[in-house]
Amino acid sequence: MRIVHKGKKEILTAIILYTLLLTILTIFNIPFSLYYFSVIAVLLFVLHMETYWKKENRLFEKQLLELDWLLSEVRHRYYVHGMVDEAAQEAYEVCKTPGLKEKIYAIYEALCSVDMNLAKERFKHMNQNRYFRMFLTLSLMVMEFGDKTVEGQSLYLRNLKRLREEIHIELKNNQTLKHHFSGLTFLIVVPITTLGAIESWGLSNLPELSSYYEGAYRILFYAFLFILTVGLYYLFFLLKTPIKVISKQHPWLKLVSKYNIFVRYCRNYEHFFPRTFEKLRISLIQVGETMDISEFLCKRIICGFLGFSFSFLWTSIFLMHLWKNKIIFLVLLSSILCFYLPVWVLKYRVRLAKVYMEDEVFQFQAILMMVMYMDRISTFELLEIMEDFSIIFKKQLRQCLLDYDVGQKEALHQLKENTYCVAFHKLVDNLIMCDDIGVTKALDEVALEIQFYSERRQQQTNYQLEQKGILCRFLSFLPLVTTIALYLILPFVTVSLSKLMEISEAIANGK
């Protein structure tokens, strides 16, 4: 999972806010230092990310609500006259939202197009919302294959109803997630802004605390607390942001991994640690990462080298005159941490992806239920629909579609080997049977279990959201607890005990 966001407006906003904060510091005559510089930088980072998240979240909810309105209008008008294109045209005429109106017009153009596949691809490039794309797919299939009656009702109308249900589930989950994360950002960020006040209060009451508040302990605690704050906030940001899989190339890693020294390192790593090597390879597949295992191992070495370089530079500047004997230990520790950092991030991404896997399989089941009764629909078209709606399994499904012409069953069996989810394997087994016994019969098992999976899915989703909330509420207190315990209580207790020992020794010696 990757979050990618760049823009000139955001950079300009950050510069303006930074200038404003510097002006405030100047007006209140607050001495500028590396501490204030770091606090301002973290606050700007958090403010920027929160603004971006709220903007994206509002846009996401707005799109879902707009589509819900559109589905309601199209469903009503299709029920009246039974024409999909006319229903879309009438919805366009009554729509008063400019952005939605453009999307409806694009959908209407695709429905009236001679080459529907080309029109669909054009709409997919224009609109990335998978629910809009699913609505267009359902409408195009009715235009191509015609509607039919299933269990006494129109299949198209029933599919629109189910799509609306999926939208409402998504909206409800998003609201619940926002509720769990409300107020946690404040708890994470506040402790770093109190360090200056703690130092001033502590030194004014106990001058002996200068050994803690003006020495190496202060520098190390600053570095630890700032890293903890930024790391926790970014973790929370990833947890509350809808998952996105972005295909990203790594040309510089690909180039570096071809050097002889890195090639030898990768071969030796595979030879001496075969199980770890295979686990890393599988993990890269699970998260949809585009880099191969050799590029990932090169990334680990580069991160370790960068950690060594930056930690050596940082300790040489700030701690050389204070902790000369411990410089090597700190440099080696930071190098090891940076070397293992890509592995920890990968494990976190795998854990996060597993949370969404089963939910996405249920969404596949719901989608297949919508289209399984369509006449003349093929397994290839089912895979195309799944790939279009997928997030977690998109890369594997895309590769299966590319290999489909070579051998249908071979491609589907390879799809099973490239994924590591039992529920998804069962679904692929149903797809393998489609060419032998027909789509409807092959997917009958999905239709029979859909009610059970629906209730189970809602329970699991609620449980996962609750677990996220509990974990994040617990972690959000770490910076505050760390500040109070290690920067307020520990120095006071240590200095007080040392003074008590001095007084006891003085009394014992009769002085």
Side-chain angles (χ1 to χ4, degrees):
M1 185 183 70
R2 298 184 180 275
I3 307 298
V4 179
H5 180 59
K6 296 179 181 179
K8 294 181 179 179
K9 291 183 179 179
E10 286 74 14
I11 296 174
L12 181 62
T13 303
I15 294 173
I16 294 173
L17 288 173
Y18 190 79
T19 306
L20 180 62
L21 287 173
L22 287 178
T23 305
I24 293 173
L25 289 176
T26 305
I27 293 174
F28 287 95
N29 197 25
I30 299 176
F32 186 78
S33 64
L34 182 62
Y35 165 68
Y36 287 114
F37 175 84
S38 303
V39 170
I40 292 172
V42 171
L43 290 177
L44 285 176
F45 169 75
V46 171
L47 182 62
H48 171 70
M49 298 297 280
E50 283 294 295
T51 304
Y52 165 64
W53 176 76
K54 288 181 179 179
K55 177 183 175 183
E56 290 292 307
N57 195 264
R58 281 197 300 267
L59 179 62
F60 178 70
E61 288 189 347
K62 180 184 175 184
Q63 288 180 343
L64 292 183
L65 290 172
E66 288 176 347
L67 180 57
D68 183 57
W69 176 88
L70 175 60
L71 292 176
S72 176
E73 288 292 321
V74 171
R75 194 172 187 276
H76 170 69
R77 298 174 191 283
Y78 180 82
Y79 181 80
V80 174
H81 49 63
M83 302 292 289
V84 179
D85 51 349
E86 289 187 14
Q89 183 181 12
E90 291 173 7
Y92 172 80
E93 292 172 355
V94 298
C95 181
K96 297 181 180 178
T97 307
L100 178 60
K101 201 160 187 172
E102 292 178 5
K103 293 173 186 174
I104 299 175
Y105 184 75
I107 291 172
Y108 176 73
E109 277 192 327
L111 294 174
C112 299
S113 176
V114 177
D115 191 344
M116 290 185 176
N117 291 328
L118 180 62
K120 181 182 175 181
E121 290 298 320
R122 192 183 301 119
F123 181 82
K124 284 167 60 176
H125 286 295
M126 184 186 75
N127 196 317
Q128 297 299 318
N129 188 294
R130 55 183 183 157
Y131 291 97
F132 268 100
R133 291 156 70 165
M134 187 62 203
F135 167 62
L136 177 61
T137 299
L138 293 173
S139 301
L140 288 174
M141 293 184 75
V142 172
M143 293 288 292
E144 184 177 358
F145 301 121
D147 196 7
K148 63 186 299 184
T149 302
V150 177
E151 297 178 358
Q153 58 180 319
S154 165
L155 179 61
Y156 183 62
L157 293 178
R158 191 171 74 164
N159 289 342
L160 294 186
K161 178 186 174 183
R162 284 179 173 165
L163 190 57
R164 289 189 71 188
E165 290 173 355
E166 287 294 314
I167 292 171
H168 291 160
I169 291 173
E170 195 79 36
L171 286 169
K172 180 184 176 182
N173 292 341
N174 191 57
Q175 291 293 332
T176 305
L177 197 64
K178 285 200 300 184
H179 171 72
H180 284 312
F181 280 91
S182 59
L184 298 186
T185 301
F186 179 78
L187 283 174
I188 296 173
V189 174
V190 161
I192 63 171
T193 64
T194 62
L195 299 181
I198 290 174
E199 292 171 7
S200 300
W201 180 80
L203 291 173
S204 63
N205 287 277
L206 201 61
E208 288 81 358
L209 289 172
S210 59
S211 60
Y212 285 93
Y213 292 158
E214 295 178 358
Y217 185 83
R218 175 196 186 194
I219 297 172
L220 290 175
F221 184 80
Y222 274 20
F224 172 74
L225 185 62
F226 275 85
I227 292 172
L228 178 65
T229 300
V230 174
L232 279 178
Y233 174 75
Y234 193 67
L235 172 65
F236 286 13
F237 179 80
L238 293 178
L239 287 174
K240 68 182 181 180
T241 304
I243 187 169
K244 298 178 182 179
V245 177
I246 298 176
S247 180
K248 183 181 179 182
Q249 301 300 320
H250 307 275
W252 58 278
L253 277 177
K254 189 179 292 293
L255 180 65
V256 171
S257 63
K258 293 180 180 178
Y259 283 95
N260 192 33
I261 185 173
F262 288 110
V263 172
R264 288 182 180 178
Y265 168 72
C266 295
R267 288 176 181 172
N268 291 334
Y269 192 92
E270 183 179 8
H271 177 72
F272 290 106
F273 308 102
R275 294 182 63 182
T276 306
F277 185 89
E278 183 63 17
K279 285 182 180 179
L280 289 175
R281 189 189 67 81
I282 293 173
S283 298
L284 291 171
I285 294 174
Q286 285 180 307
V287 299
E289 183 57 72
T290 54
M291 70 173 71
D292 58 29
I293 183 65
S294 60
E295 294 171 5
F296 179 77
L297 293 176
C298 291
K299 180 180 178 180
R300 290 187 66 187
I301 296 177
I302 293 171
C303 287
F305 176 75
L306 291 177
F308 174 85
S309 302
F310 283 119
S311 61
F312 181 79
L313 180 63
W314 187 79
T315 51
S316 299
I317 294 174
F318 296 106
L319 298 176
M320 182 62 76
H321 62 291
L322 298 170
W323 281 8
K324 294 181 180 180
N325 298 328
K326 300 179 181 179
I327 294 296
I328 297 177
F329 171 76
L330 292 174
V331 170
L332 290 177
L333 178 63
S334 60
S335 302
I336 293 172
L337 291 176
C338 289
F339 179 74
Y340 282 99
L341 182 62
V343 177
W344 295 335
V345 173
L346 180 62
K347 287 183 177 181
Y348 163 73
R349 291 175 60 193
V350 170
R351 189 183 183 93
L352 194 62
K354 285 180 178 179
V355 172
Y356 292 95
M357 276 183 182
E358 194 162 339
D359 186 63
E360 183 162 290
V361 172
F362 177 83
Q363 288 181 330
F364 287 156
Q365 293 173 338
I367 291 167
L368 294 179
M369 279 287 295
M370 296 179 190
V371 298
M372 62 182 284
Y373 297 105
M374 292 288 184
D375 295 329
R376 301 189 307 277
I377 191 167
S378 65
T379 309
F380 184 81
E381 289 172 318
L382 293 177
L383 289 168
E384 277 189 323
I385 294 171
M386 290 170 61
E387 189 271 335
D388 193 36
F389 199 78
S390 176
I391 296 176
I392 303 296
F393 301 103
K394 182 174 284 292
K395 180 182 177 182
Q396 293 90 331
L397 286 166
R398 187 171 294 168
Q399 186 62 44
C400 179
L401 289 170
L402 292 174
D403 298 338
Y404 200 80
D405 291 335
V406 179
Q408 300 177 5
K409 291 188 177 181
E410 290 80 2
L412 289 170
H413 284 296
Q414 187 62 41
L415 176 62
K416 286 182 63 177
E417 293 181 8
N418 291 338
T419 53
Y420 301 89
C421 177
V422 177
F424 186 72
H425 289 173
K426 291 180 179 179
L427 192 60
V428 175
D429 288 335
N430 292 120
L431 294 176
I432 291 173
M433 294 187 294
C434 285
D435 291 330
D436 297 330
I437 62 176
V439 173
T440 304
K441 287 185 179 180
L443 297 179
D444 272 343
E445 182 185 3
V446 176
L448 291 173
E449 295 184 355
I450 194 72
Q451 185 62 35
F452 167 73
Y453 278 112
S454 178
E455 296 174 0
R456 182 185 174 190
R457 175 199 184 190
Q458 193 57 48
Q459 291 174 356
Q460 284 190 342
T461 302
N462 293 336
Y463 174 76
Q464 289 166 1
L465 292 174
E466 187 64 32
Q467 289 298 109
K468 273 187 181 182
I470 292 172
L471 174 65
C472 292
R473 283 193 292 272
F474 170 76
L475 292 177
S476 63
F477 283 96
L478 277 181
L480 181 61
V481 172
T482 302
T483 302
I484 293 174
L486 299 182
Y487 209 61
L488 184 60
I489 296 176
L490 181 62
F492 266 87
V493 171
T494 306
V495 171
S496 299
L497 288 176
S498 63
K499 288 181 70 67
L500 180 62
M501 293 296 293
E502 291 176 4
I503 294 172
S504 299
E505 289 178 2
I507 292 174
N509 295 330
K511 295 183 180 179

